[in-house]
């Protein structure tokens, strides 16, 4: 049976895809459960007990739509960040927000700058709106602001993406470098500064909110999916100049937020003590991943995130064989998509049980290769 | 401060808006709480106790992303509907799905057919992708398939929207009429058959799933927001031919579903006994709204939904004054947006406490006009 015959030429040209294979799909393929879920940079430490409690209360109100203005959450985020509610737009995870941003700026054929190997879901949205991806290489496993800037200017690109810290490499640039880069981006190019992992980064990684908040061409994105342990809730937000942020209200799904998720995010934001305790666990787990990596002859790359890119010292085929081998033993990890980043595997931080299983299974996987 | 200077011309031309003012906004404006929330066609009867239990269990897993393939929910829906999982796409409520459908089909300037006064959020998406809305009038408060068909052919429109039952009027067409209409729509025009309220409709309102499932140009949309009482969860789905449904995978937010919401939808679908009990309550509440309407000299319109359009016998200003007056007394209702539908107010079914408050406050509001 054919598809509908009159999709737009752009839609007709796109592949049907699932950008990331989920662990549930792996479980269905292998027929056995994932025992260590350390592949999607979720937080195995979970959200705070206070969040679970808030979810229980909110459950009784789930017959109500969430407030389409996200008033309370924007107030709370503004207070937390030291900006105004008008500086914030809330969406169904950073992925949804990235889709909206691309839609705001990109017409078919327009150039969009990203790092080669940078966040694939951003690229998925660029393709989905017909943008033309222009990439620049990483520099020693770090995104390269100078090269991104050069490409943006050269192409007169209306949109450029930069993640700090970076996924999939876990690397980062200093607040001073990022701020200088953001201020150097031409006024008529929109910079997406994706800070999904910022809570996990050392002091001095994030430019202050005030430093960039008045720039109409900078949108920062953050999320409750990573350090706050709420990947399944789908709560992300954008921070920017009020007039730019207002553009989200032109096209967003106003009733898109799940009511329980908003309640969970509010509770998570309130419980900064819990966040601090998780950050300690993430740091310890990063160390643990490093130790396991070194014990197997691999080199962990420095990380400011809740995962570690582990350099396996060979090519993408080798790394992929490790990912597959671990998967068969119930250890779900992922890896970067392109060379030279794909000499690495990417291991999310997790509980001691997760780490112990990684430690136990990795040598067997390597022996079998 | 100006906005970013290089939004697409389309985005720059759109207004920033909140398509529906939420009851939370009304509470903030009036400074007093909504006492009867019967304006957004939510279900005050709530979801099943089994759903609340499922949410409690799923809360502990909310650190995990939901399965991006929505495998389990699609399996369950397919079994429930008597089709295949490939016939189903899941999304963050029907609103999100409508946005994707418009995006699949509409390029700037393309004509889109809807009823004049039909679902505003569909029109919001049409505007958001630059479509040109072509409307046909309701016929005695019912959507008019013959007129929709004529306009679709005349305009050679790639997209036409038809809700059965209808929102905001609560009216419906028979399954036979709808099926004949759907089969008469030209092959190169996509029909969105929005059945958000279908569970509330009498036997013989929905064409069988089998009757339309092989038509690449028909997508039916349904939701857990209404009869299932899960508006806050944001779980909607599309039903159609596999190749057409596959197009959602080209552009949807694959990780957009909240994990708790999916668990809630699965539990809701399982508990058909609870659904049946709610449908009884909805029917009783429709009767109750009718009785209250008549006692105040108004005429309730027939309804196959979880709300009743009440003809107040005068113009939009009069109906609006009633909506405002009730709002000031803590009774949140809404009304259709355009004449002649806006001689009506739209009251959602609700609990006996909601109905009692409506009964108590409406005469006072009318006296004060």
């Amino acid at each position: 049976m054919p598809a509908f015959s009159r999709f737009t030429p752009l839609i007709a040209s796109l592949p049907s895809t699932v950008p990331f294979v989920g662990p549930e799909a792996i479980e269905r393929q292998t027929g056995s459960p994932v025992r260590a879920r350390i592949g999607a940079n979720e937080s195995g430490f979970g959200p705070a007990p206070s969040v679970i409690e808030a979810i229980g209360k909110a459950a009784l109100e789930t017959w109500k739509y969430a407030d389409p203005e996200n008033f309370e959450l924007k107030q709370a985020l503004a207070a937390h960040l030291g900006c105004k509610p008008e500086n914030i737009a809330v969406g169904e995870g950073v992925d949804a927000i990235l889709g909206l941003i691309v839609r705001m700026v990109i017409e078919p054929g327009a150039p969009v700058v990203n790092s080669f190997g940078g966040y694939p879901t951003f690229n998925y949205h660029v393709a989905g709106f017909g943008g033309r991806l222009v990439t620049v290489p990483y520099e020693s496993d770090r995104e390269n602001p100078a090269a991104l800037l050069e490409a943006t200017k050269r192409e007169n690109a209306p949109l450029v993406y930069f993640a700090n810290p970076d996924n999939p490499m876990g690397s980062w640039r200093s607040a001073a470098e990022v701020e200088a880069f953001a201020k150097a981006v031409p006024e008529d190019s929109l910079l997406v500064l994706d800070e999904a992992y910022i809570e996990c980064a050392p002091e001095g990684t994030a430019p202050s909110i005030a430093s960039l908040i008045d720039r109409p061409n900078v949108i920062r994105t953050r999320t409750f999916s990573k350090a706050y342990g709420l990947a399944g809730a789908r709560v992300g937000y954008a921070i920017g100049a009020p007039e730019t942020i207002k553009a989200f209200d032109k096209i967003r799904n106003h009733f898109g937020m799940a009511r329980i998720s908003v309640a969970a995010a509010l509770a998570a934001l309130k419980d900064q003590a819990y966040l601090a305790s998780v950050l300690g666990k993430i740091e310890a787990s990063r160390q643990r991943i490093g130790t396991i990596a070194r014990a197997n002859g691999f080199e962990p790359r420095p990380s400011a995130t809740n995962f570690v890119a582990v350099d396996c010292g060979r090519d993408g085929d080798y790394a992929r064989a490790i990912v597959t081998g671990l998967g068969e033993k119930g250890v779900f990890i992922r890896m970067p998509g392109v060379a030279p980043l794909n000499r690495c595997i990417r291991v999310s931080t997790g509980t001691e049980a997760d780490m112990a299983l990684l430690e136990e299974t990795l040598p067997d996987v390597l022996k079998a290769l």
Side-chain angles (χ1 to χ4, degrees), chain A residues 286-304:
Chain A
R286 285 195 300 231
Q287 297 297 335
R288 186 93 163 80
I289 293 167
T291 304
I292 296 168
R294 286 195 192 90
N296 288 276
F298 296 159
E299 179 58 31
R301 304 296 297 148
S303 169

Side-chain angles (χ1 to χ4, degrees), chain A residues 67-355:
Chain A
D67 172 18
E69 297 176 38
N70 298 304
F71 181 87
E72 209 183 339
L73 183 54
K74 291 196 324 194
Q75 291 276 340
L77 283 167
H80 179 72
L81 296 167
C83 62
K84 294 182 179 161
E86 306 89 83
N87 292 118
I88 295 169
V90 172
E92 307 90 333
V94 166
D95 285 358
I97 290 172
L98 292 178
L100 294 173
I101 292 173
V102 173
R103 182 175 159 196
M104 286 176 196
V105 174
I106 295 307
E107 294 189 301
V112 180
V113 176
N114 193 1
S115 303
F116 185 63
Y119 189 46
T121 303
F122 178 75
N123 297 349
Y124 166 79
H125 289 307
V126 171
F129 288 100
R132 176 171 58 83
L133 200 63
V134 175
T135 58
V136 303
Y138 279 65
E139 178 194 39
S140 309
D141 293 339
R142 299 199 298 169
E143 289 196 84
N144 184 340
L148 290 165
L149 183 62
E150 191 279 322
T152 302
K153 288 179 173 172
R154 186 187 69 233
E155 299 276 349
N156 185 23
L159 186 59
V160 50
Y161 175 91
F162 178 74
N164 190 55
D166 177 62
N167 173 22
M169 299 310 289
S171 55
W172 68 103
R173 297 278 177 179
S174 73
E177 283 175 286
V178 175
E179 186 179 332
F181 167 55
K183 291 183 171 173
V185 170
E187 267 181 28
D188 59 351
S189 298
L190 184 69
L191 169 66
V192 179
L193 173 55
D194 187 349
E195 300 180 313
Y197 296 94
I198 198 67
E199 293 86 0
C200 310
E203 196 72 22
T205 304
S208 72
I209 294 295
S211 68
L212 299 176
I213 198 85
D214 288 334
R215 304 191 81 80
N217 70 326
V218 178
I219 297 180
R220 303 167 77 161
T221 55
R222 297 188 178 184
T223 184
F224 286 89
S225 296
K226 305 302 175 185
Y228 285 106
L230 285 171
R234 315 317 299 125
V235 185
Y237 54 102
I239 312 165
E243 289 301 321
T244 296
I245 289 295
K246 226 183 233 179
F248 286 99
D249 279 342
K250 299 179 173 200
I251 56 170
R252 72 187 177 91
N253 184 7
H254 291 261
F255 286 86
M257 297 301 296
R259 191 173 181 104
I260 288 176
S261 297
V262 174
L266 275 165
L269 194 64
K270 241 184 212 165
D271 201 337
Q272 292 291 315
Y274 181 81
L275 176 67
S277 77
V278 167
L279 294 179
K281 290 177 188 173
I282 286 172
E283 168 59 20
S285 181
R286 285 195 300 231
Q287 297 297 335
R288 186 93 163 80
I289 293 167
T291 304
I292 296 168
R294 286 195 192 90
N296 288 276
F298 296 159
E299 179 58 31
R301 304 296 297 148
S303 169
T305 64
N306 71 344
F307 61 87
V308 178
V310 173
D311 186 343
C312 302
R314 291 167 61 178
D315 63 3
D317 289 345
Y318 183 66
R320 194 164 303 109
I322 296 171
V323 170
T324 305
L326 283 172
E328 284 162 1
K329 293 186 183 298
V331 177
F332 164 59
I333 66 164
R334 285 201 176 120
M335 62 180 286
V338 300
L341 314 182
N342 68 1
R343 70 191 195 285
C344 298
I345 56 174
R346 195 194 69 177
V347 183
S348 307
T349 55
T351 63
E352 178 47 33
D354 294 333
M355 296 299 107

Side-chain angles (χ1 to χ4, degrees), chain A residues 27 32-37 328-332 353-354 357 360-361:
Chain A
E27 289 178 337
S32 56
V34 165
R35 294 188 294 156
R37 188 167 161 133
E328 284 162 1
K329 293 186 183 298
V331 177
F332 164 59
D354 294 333
L357 193 63
E360 178 197 322
T361 51

